[in-house]
């Protein structure tokens, strides 16, 4: 595996695109495409948590799913364990799925209500032909213990559990095949505040204990800062900024990231009163018809002529060892 | 001095086949004209049921307001004649709901939905109502208000729909606006827009606000006082500055600790509140938070504390609030 800044590159995403075609008219001719993910490139290092943030519809979930090949990418490469996942056939892909798993957002919709917890967690083991019936059962019990549930629950159904407990079941299922890469797609946003911290702590512990690598997708920026090592900010199908989390949160060089940060409420009335807010006008444009060049320019208060004419390059404004990738023509002025 | 709204010992229960759910267990609070209160709690804490009871919007059966009073301008809303209630709802007190997608009627134009209440409550004719509706859309920051009256809800974005809901709620100049998680379905940048809008409108129009939310951070910069609910009880109530600086109930403390702070680097582990919220089908003889509470002592497991005065305008339902005050010294600012 190749190295970058002394860190092992675990997953390499090159120019990944996912376009959903739009069909119209009597002959269902393709008249356009929703560019959910439109050419993004980044690396995920071994053992890190890469946080992916953005508003709804920016393509962050599609990115996660395209990396795992749950959605077939339109274009681009995903290099994992020396293979380009986009080129693999069904059987090979299934084999490599052992090593990469997903935790879903909605713990109510992602567990089959007619299966017992034991069957849900044991299913990946069956699919991948790991062990016999007995050892699988033991493994399921072990997994329940790992995620902080009583192994005694093995024959219960999902409806007997609370949201936080269900999410733990989802985590146990993802861990069943001993993967080393997990995409967590908004794993806590359906949970209550007091339960969110429990699940985040669990994910954090598991990462250390089992040596996992996470792609953590969320829209809650304070949670992203807490759990991630590096953060990528997405807007309308593109990554606009990527760097270490503290750099992103304290020295952002992209106007969209800055606006996103200033929109987060702070639980402190005094700080809130003093705060200068940067409120964005309007909503996110449709990814079926994104603005030309820099797709953020219609909402950006720093936009000049060049922003509506030339697509900004995703360039490294940091140093060789502490990279800070930004896609903005005016990034220099925020230094 | 009379309050705009005075809720006294409100009790709401749901009589279901699985048993009686004690959703709201005797909550009391007051709200003056132009004042704003946030009711904060997790799902199932009774924060929404509490205000729906006041509005007479609890589906019955299975729900029922068993006892208590809600005096709005001196008139008790509980058990009020439905006809009379209809005159108050929408006219003097209005509500904005969580999900703007489902609370607007998809087959009627926004203009129709906006003018409906104006004609009903204020007896306006078509032209007056249309003019007023356009003014309201303009007030909530929708461009080209006259033209958009003939549009349908699906032609608006999520944030705009919530603006339409706010315009609708404020169109009859109510003295009380109830906002039930109005930004939960929205993105952060849109949430910031809506919060800013409501703040501005309150300055301009001077209505009182009840803001229901699960997000303690969201209301920090926008209300006068906060009531924290747990298991159908108000467990702490305080002016906004005091609450965040020095929470005097372990649940509030836990909530504030379990939120990662945006401006802190290299934080250690999040302090989570262990365990789960209780089943509301029981009658609490003990403090409902005691099974999850790190400060719980034997007394907490035997006796359910009532709200006690802990300072000027401050209430906490905790036997150990004095110890908490001594011990923690916790403050978000500290």
């Amino acid at each position: 595996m190749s190295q970058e800044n002394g860190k092992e590159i675990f997953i390499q995403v090159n120019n990944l695109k996912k376009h959903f075609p739009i069909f119209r008219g009597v002959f269902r001719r393709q008249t356009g495409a929703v560019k959910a993910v439109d050419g993004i490139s980044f690396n995920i290092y071994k053992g890190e948590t890469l946080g992916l943030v953005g508003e709804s519809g920016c393509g962050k979930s599609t990115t996660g799913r395209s990396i795992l090949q749950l959605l077939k990418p339109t274009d681009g490469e995903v290099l994992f364990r020396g293979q380009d996942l986009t080129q693999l056939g069904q059987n090979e892909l299934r084999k490599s799925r052992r090593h990469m798993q997903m935790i879903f957002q909605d713990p109510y919709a992602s567990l089959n209500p007619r299966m017992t917890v034991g069957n849900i967690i044991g299913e990946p083991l069956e699919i991948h032909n790991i062990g016999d019936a007995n050892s699988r059962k033991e493994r399921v019990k072990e997994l329940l213990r790992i995620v902080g549930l009583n192994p005694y629950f093995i024959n219960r159904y999902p409806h007997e559990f609370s949201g936080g407990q269900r999410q733990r079941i989802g985590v146990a299922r993802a861990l069943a095949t001993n993967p080393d890469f997990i995409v967590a797609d908004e794993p806590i946003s359906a949970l209550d505040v007091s339960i969110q911290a429990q699940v985040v702590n669990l994910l954090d512990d598991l990462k250390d204990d089992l040596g996992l690598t996470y792609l953590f997708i969320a829209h809650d920026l304070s949670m992203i800062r807490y759990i991630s090592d590096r953060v990528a900010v997405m807007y309308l199908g593109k990554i606009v900024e990527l760097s270490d989390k503290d750099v992103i949160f304290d020295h952002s060089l992209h106007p969209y990231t800055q606006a996103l940060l200033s929109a987060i409420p702070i639980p402190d009335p005094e700080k809130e009163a003093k705060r200068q807010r940067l409120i964005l006008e309007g909503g996110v444009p449709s990814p079926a018809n994104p603005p030309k060049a820099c797709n953020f320019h219609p909402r950006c208060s720093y936009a000049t002529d060049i922003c509506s004419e030339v697509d900004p390059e995703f360039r490294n404004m940091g140093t060789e060892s502490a990279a800070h990738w930004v896609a903005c023509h005016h990034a220099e002025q925020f230094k | 001095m009379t309050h705009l709204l005075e809720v006294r010992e409100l009790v709401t229960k749901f009589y279901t086949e699985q048993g009686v759910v004690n959703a709201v267990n005797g909550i009391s609070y007051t709200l003056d004209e132009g004042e704003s209160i946030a009711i904060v709690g997790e799902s199932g804490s009774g924060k929404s049921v509490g205000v729906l009871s006041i509005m007479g919007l609890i589906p019955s059966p299975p729900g029922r307001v068993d006892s208590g009073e809600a005096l709005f301008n001196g008139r008790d809303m509980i058990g009020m004649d439905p006809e009379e209630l209809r005159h108050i709802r929408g006219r003097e007190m209005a509500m904005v709901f969580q999900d703007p997608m489902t609370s607007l009627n998809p087959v009627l134009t926004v203009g129709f939905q906006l003018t409906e209440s104006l004609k009903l409550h204020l007896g306006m004719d078509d032209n007056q109502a249309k003019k007023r509706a356009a003014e309201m859309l303009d007030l909530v920051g929708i461009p080209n208000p006259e033209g958009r009256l003939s549009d349908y809800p699906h032609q608006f974005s999520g944030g705009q729909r919530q603006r339409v809901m706010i315009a609708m709620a404020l169109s009859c100049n109510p003295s009380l606006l109830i906002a039930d998680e109005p930004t939960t379905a929205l993105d952060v940048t849109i949430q910031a827009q809506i919060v800013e809008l409501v703040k501005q409108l309150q300055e301009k129009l001077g209505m009182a606000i009840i803001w229901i939310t699960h997000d303690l951070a969201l209301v920090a910069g926008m209300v006068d006082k906060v009531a924290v609910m747990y298991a159908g009880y108000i467990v702490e109530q305080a002016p906004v500055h005091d609450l965040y600086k020095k929470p005097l109930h372990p649940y509030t403390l836990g909530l504030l600790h379990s939120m990662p702070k945006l401006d802190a680097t290299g934080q250690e582990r999040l302090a989570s509140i262990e365990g789960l919220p209780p089943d509301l089908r029981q009658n609490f003889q003990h403090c409902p938070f005691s099974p999850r509470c790190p400060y719980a002592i034997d007394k907490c497991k035997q006796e359910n504390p009532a709200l006690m005065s802990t300072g000027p305008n401050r209430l906490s339902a905790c036997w150990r609030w004095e110890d908490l005050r001594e011990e923690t010294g916790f403050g978000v600012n500290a």
Side-chain angles (χ1 to χ4, degrees):
Chain A
M1 254 175 262
S2 48
Q3 301 264 323
E4 188 180 279
N5 313 335
K7 287 173 197 135
E8 199 176 313
I9 294 176
F10 195 54
I11 290 180
Q12 199 174 345
V13 177
N14 291 330
N15 196 27
L16 186 72
K17 284 184 188 170
K18 177 67 196 173
H19 294 178
F20 296 97
I22 305 170
F23 299 103
R24 278 221 181 85
V26 188
F27 300 106
R28 312 306 296 161
R29 253 198 273 266
Q30 187 180 336
T31 55
V34 175
K35 295 171 180 164
V37 175
D38 200 18
I40 60 173
S41 305
F42 58 93
N43 297 326
I44 303 177
Y45 303 137
K46 181 144 186 67
E48 80 164 346
T49 300
L50 178 67
L52 188 59
V53 273
E55 297 178 87
S56 45
C58 73
K60 53 193 193 300
S61 291
T62 307
T63 303
R65 284 165 194 238
S66 303
I67 290 175
L68 295 186
Q69 309 299 309
L70 295 176
L71 290 169
K72 193 92 197 125
T74 312
D75 195 12
E77 292 178 322
V78 178
L79 302 174
F80 176 58
R81 292 177 152 250
Q83 290 172 305
D84 181 2
L85 295 180
T86 60
Q87 302 301 322
L88 295 185
Q90 274 295 339
N91 286 331
E92 289 164 298
L93 195 55
R94 180 161 275 192
K95 271 183 217 144
S96 64
R97 285 238 166 87
R98 258 187 85 157
H99 307 292
M100 46 185 197
Q101 289 287 325
M102 182 144 182
I103 300 169
F104 295 92
Q105 172 171 8
D106 187 345
Y108 294 85
S110 58
L111 303 177
N112 187 337
R114 300 173 64 165
M115 284 166 76
T116 63
V117 166
N119 288 336
I120 289 172
I121 301 176
E123 199 180 18
L125 298 172
E126 266 171 61
I127 290 172
H128 292 289
N129 267 320
I130 302 171
D132 55 22
N134 266 332
S135 67
R136 276 180 212 149
K137 197 168 176 189
E138 281 312 305
R139 173 76 179 141
V140 170
K141 284 187 181 166
E142 186 195 339
L143 285 162
L144 282 170
R145 262 191 297 270
I146 290 177
V147 298
L149 292 173
N150 194 332
Y152 174 75
F153 293 159
I154 192 162
N155 289 321
R156 293 202 186 172
Y157 288 89
H159 73 264
E160 298 175 73
F161 295 89
S162 69
Q165 288 175 320
R166 283 181 209 219
Q167 203 53 293
R168 287 173 192 265
I169 297 169
V171 173
R173 175 177 59 187
L175 294 175
T177 59
N178 253 326
D180 28 34
F181 175 57
I182 289 183
V183 174
D185 188 2
E186 305 244 14
I188 53 164
S189 49
L191 305 176
D192 266 321
V193 190
S194 75
I195 309 295
Q196 286 188 351
Q198 292 178 10
V199 173
V200 165
N201 282 338
L202 171 71
L203 290 173
D204 225 11
D205 292 343
L206 291 173
K207 182 186 148 195
D208 296 340
D209 295 347
L210 307 174
L212 300 171
T213 302
Y214 288 136
L215 177 65
F216 193 94
I217 300 169
H219 64 266
D220 180 345
L221 283 139
S222 29
M223 208 47 104
I224 279 278
R225 176 164 205 178
Y226 175 75
I227 199 164
S228 310
D229 299 307
R230 289 188 309 148
V231 175
V233 182
M234 261 187 106
Y235 184 77
L236 223 62
K238 292 194 168 152
I239 291 182
V240 295
E241 191 166 10
L242 169 66
S243 189
D244 284 339
K245 64 169 170 185
D246 292 338
V247 176
I248 292 277
F249 281 82
D250 298 332
H251 308 286
S252 162
L253 294 179
H254 197 285
Y256 177 64
T257 314
Q258 292 164 9
L260 209 53
L261 289 172
S262 100
I264 314 169
I266 296 179
D268 180 345
E270 280 167 26
K271 279 188 197 155
E272 273 291 339
K274 280 187 223 132
R275 214 163 157 208
Q276 278 296 324
R277 281 212 154 165
L278 210 141
I279 296 204
L280 282 182
E281 298 287 317
V284 183
S286 157
N289 186 19
K292 290 214 163 42
C294 172
N295 56 22
F296 184 58
H297 81 260
R299 300 175 79 191
C300 181
S301 50
Y302 302 98
T304 54
D305 289 347
I306 188 174
C307 302
S308 53
E309 287 155 9
V310 185
D311 202 358
E313 187 196 346
F314 193 50
R315 57 201 164 120
N316 186 0
M317 299 270 299
T319 58
E320 194 64 29
S321 59
H324 186 171
W325 297 89
V326 194
C328 174
H329 292 299
H330 302 301
E332 277 83 5
Q333 76 182 74
F334 304 116
K335 271 246 170 182
Chain B
M1 187 188 118
T2 53
H3 302 287
L4 176 70
L5 177 70
E6 180 166 6
V7 179
R8 283 194 207 138
E9 292 300 318
L10 188 71
V11 175
T12 305
K13 297 182 178 178
F14 287 88
Y15 295 84
T16 67
E17 281 176 16
Q18 286 80 38
V20 181
V21 178
N22 302 302
V24 173
N25 299 314
I27 59 170
S28 307
Y29 56 88
T30 61
L31 192 64
D32 291 330
E33 262 172 55
E35 201 182 18
S36 53
I37 186 172
I39 301 181
V40 182
E42 298 178 77
S43 37
S45 61
K47 56 189 192 301
S48 295
V49 173
V51 293
L52 290 176
S53 305
I54 300 171
M55 304 268 283
L57 292 174
I58 292 292
S60 176
R64 200 168 75 200
V65 181
D66 270 14
S67 61
E69 294 179 324
L71 302 173
F72 181 67
N73 283 326
R75 288 166 299 173
D76 191 0
M77 306 269 298
I78 308 295
M80 189 183 269
D81 175 48
E83 189 56 34
E84 211 179 326
L85 205 53
R86 246 198 301 278
H87 284 296
I88 296 181
R89 268 194 320 238
R91 169 78 185 84
E92 293 171 52
M93 78 169 48
M95 191 148 180
V96 178
F97 295 91
Q98 172 170 359
D99 189 351
M101 313 276 186
T102 51
S103 37
L104 287 169
N105 189 330
V107 297
L108 298 174
T109 64
V110 160
F112 183 92
Q113 299 185 58
L114 268 166
T115 51
E116 204 178 12
S117 65
L118 291 169
K119 287 189 248 181
L120 179 77
H121 289 301
L122 303 183
M124 289 185 174
D125 64 29
D126 267 347
N127 282 331
Q128 286 171 317
K130 251 189 198 147
K131 194 162 161 266
R132 171 85 179 148
E135 279 169 23
M136 289 313 296
L137 283 187
D138 189 41
L139 187 69
V140 296
I142 289 187
N144 181 22
E146 283 91 8
R148 303 229 55 183
L149 284 178
S150 51
D151 283 352
Y152 289 88
H154 73 265
Q155 292 166 293
F156 292 80
S157 70
Q160 280 182 326
R161 266 179 238 162
Q162 202 54 291
R163 286 172 191 265
V164 171
M165 288 297 296
I166 293 170
M168 209 179 277
L170 295 179
S171 60
C172 294
N173 248 330
S175 44
L176 173 62
L177 176 71
I178 299 176
D180 187 359
E181 305 238 14
T183 61
T184 308
L186 306 173
D187 278 316
V188 268
T189 59
I190 310 295
Q191 167 173 295
Q193 290 173 2
I194 298 289
V195 167
E196 203 55 38
L197 173 70
V198 173
K199 266 199 217 162
Q200 282 167 10
L201 289 175
Q202 194 190 14
E203 264 167 41
K204 216 183 281 180
L205 308 174
M207 71 278 184
I209 296 181
I210 299 178
W211 191 287
I212 301 168
T213 180
H214 66 275
D215 187 353
L216 263 175
L218 179 67
V219 290
M222 61 176 301
V223 295
D224 301 317
K225 56 185 183 185
V226 180
V228 180
M229 282 191 77
Y230 187 77
Y233 294 91
I234 289 180
V235 293
E236 181 165 15
Q237 192 179 319
V240 69
H241 286 269
D242 299 347
L243 187 93
Y244 291 86
K245 210 178 253 174
K246 205 151 185 63
L248 290 180
H249 193 283
Y251 178 62
T252 319
L253 188 70
L255 279 184
L256 285 171
H257 270 319
S258 65
M259 288 189 289
K261 278 170 223 75
L262 192 63
D263 46 358
T265 52
Q267 330 180 17
E268 63 273 30
R269 214 174 146 75
L270 284 182
S272 61
I273 304 177
E274 293 306 319
L276 301 170
D279 186 342
L280 297 179
R281 283 174 297 185
Q282 55 186 312
N283 272 314
F284 291 101
Q285 304 302 326
H286 58 279
C287 168
F289 188 60
S290 61
R292 302 174 74 185
C293 180
Y295 297 93
I297 50 173
D298 285 347
K299 192 179 186 186
C300 307
K301 301 193 162 107
Q302 287 149 9
E303 246 181 292
N304 190 357
L307 278 172
M308 297 168 243
S309 173
T310 60
N313 298 318
R314 293 202 63 167
L315 297 164
S316 166
C318 177
W319 292 122
R320 298 195 60 195
W321 67 268
E322 280 168 314
D323 301 336
L324 212 62
R325 188 178 58 184
E326 300 301 310
E327 185 193 323
T328 59
F330 169 75
V332 177
N333 306 327

